[in-house]
Amino acid sequence: MASPYLGASVDQWAHITRQLVQQHPLTPALIHDAAMISWDRLWNTWVGDRNVGFPIAEIDPPATVIGYMFEKLFAKELAVRLPGAWRGGVGSEKDLHCLQNESLSVEMKASGQLGYRIYGNRSYGQVLENADAAKKDKSGFYITVNFYGQTLTLLRFGWIDSTDWQAQKSPTGQMAGLPPEVYQHKLLQIDGPYILNGPVQLVEGVGAKAAEELAAGGISMIGDLIRATNLPPRHQKHQVAARQQYQGLY
């Protein structure tokens, strides 16, 4: 698939991304609503039956399991909302398969680490040596999902090219990452009140010690910090940083 960014300079990327998102049938509002419902369903999932079973939250599943389940629930929600247009991908298809135009299909990438970065397998940042390894075209539309524990912290929608992924330099590294300009210009943030439910450590400059001190004062979420009154002087700078970082969301 030819990249829509081919031949474009980095300062043109944001405009191209906005056009791609505006022309795509999955609107940011639809993605937001489907994600909120799917995330809620996930954490209300019951494993087993009422005699021998438990809520999924009780076992604290690995982030990879949560990401996979969220993807499947999101795909099901799309299929219900847009029957005959979208379904979950199978085999070499993207995670969200568009039945009407395969080029509009979307890959989903989730990260349960504290932060707003997304990671792919090491193969995403390497030149593939055979067709069998290339089960999916790694260029195209992406929905990226950041979460921490049971909190959804950030959704983004845009385009990532296979050449954007950078494998870890260590020969034993298993992940590939994305450079800052991709986050800045090729992935559009999907805004919503949910972002302010993220942990305060997502605020730039708030480390583990500051987060612990804030939590002792009843401030654990970004929104708590933004709305707090009578903060100790040493934490007032964190409130200023939060209000700047998340302006427009409160």
Side-chain angles (χ1 to χ4, degrees):
M1 184 185 298
S3 171
Y5 300 85
L6 188 64
S9 60
V10 173
D11 60 3
Q12 295 174 304
W13 285 6
H15 175 69
I16 294 170
T17 303
R18 286 192 295 270
Q19 286 186 316
L20 289 170
V21 170
Q22 288 169 1
Q23 294 166 5
H24 199 277
L26 298 183
T27 66
L30 174 60
I31 293 170
H32 173 276
D33 291 349
M36 295 303 112
I37 289 172
S38 300
W39 190 253
D40 187 58
R41 281 198 184 112
L42 194 162
W43 290 106
N44 281 290
T45 296
W46 187 272
V47 181
D49 57 30
R50 294 295 164 178
N51 294 319
V52 181
F54 45 82
I56 193 169
E58 189 176 295
I59 60 171
D60 190 24
T64 51
V65 173
I66 293 302
Y68 178 78
M69 292 180 65
F70 176 74
E71 171 205 314
K72 295 302 180 183
L73 286 167
F74 187 95
K76 286 285 188 183
E77 178 65 19
L78 277 190
V80 169
R81 288 176 178 239
L82 303 168
W86 291 86
R87 62 165 171 76
V90 295
S92 62
E93 296 172 346
K94 298 289 179 70
D95 297 325
L96 307 175
H97 183 69
C98 181
L99 294 162
Q100 298 168 340
N101 184 346
E102 190 173 357
S103 68
L104 296 174
S105 296
V106 179
E107 189 76 353
M108 295 188 78
K109 276 289 168 192
S111 172
Q113 299 185 38
L114 184 64
Y116 291 135
R117 292 186 175 275
I118 292 291
Y119 302 95
N121 295 331
R122 183 176 177 82
S123 64
Y124 275 59
Q126 295 175 322
V127 176
L128 299 174
E129 296 178 354
N130 58 72
D132 290 336
K135 291 186 177 181
K136 291 184 182 181
D137 179 1
K138 296 185 173 62
S139 295
F141 290 100
Y142 275 76
I143 293 173
T144 66
V145 183
N146 289 97
F147 64 93
Y148 190 67
Q150 296 183 32
T151 304
L152 190 62
T153 59
L154 189 64
L155 297 164
R156 287 175 285 208
F157 184 39
W159 181 287
I160 301 174
D161 284 301
S162 59
T163 52
D164 291 328
W165 294 101
Q166 299 175 343
Q168 286 180 300
K169 293 182 180 180
S170 168
T172 58
Q174 296 301 309
M175 294 192 300
L178 297 168
E181 57 267 25
V182 172
Y183 291 109
Q184 293 167 5
H185 306 303
K186 298 179 77 173
L187 294 168
L188 296 186
Q189 178 172 302
I190 297 178
D191 289 335
Y194 75 96
I195 294 175
L196 299 183
N197 295 331
V200 290
Q201 279 180 269
L202 291 173
V203 176
E204 293 175 9
V206 177
K209 183 178 179 181
E212 185 178 347
E213 292 177 356
L214 287 165
I219 298 171
S220 59
M221 298 187 299
I222 296 164
D224 296 335
L225 178 58
I226 287 172
R227 294 184 292 267
T229 57
N230 301 319
L231 278 172
R234 66 182 178 279
H235 293 312
Q236 289 175 7
K237 63 181 179 181
H238 298 315
Q239 185 177 62
V240 171
R243 289 176 173 176
Q244 290 178 341
Q245 187 175 344
Y246 299 97
Q247 58 183 320
L249 293 176
Y250 63 93

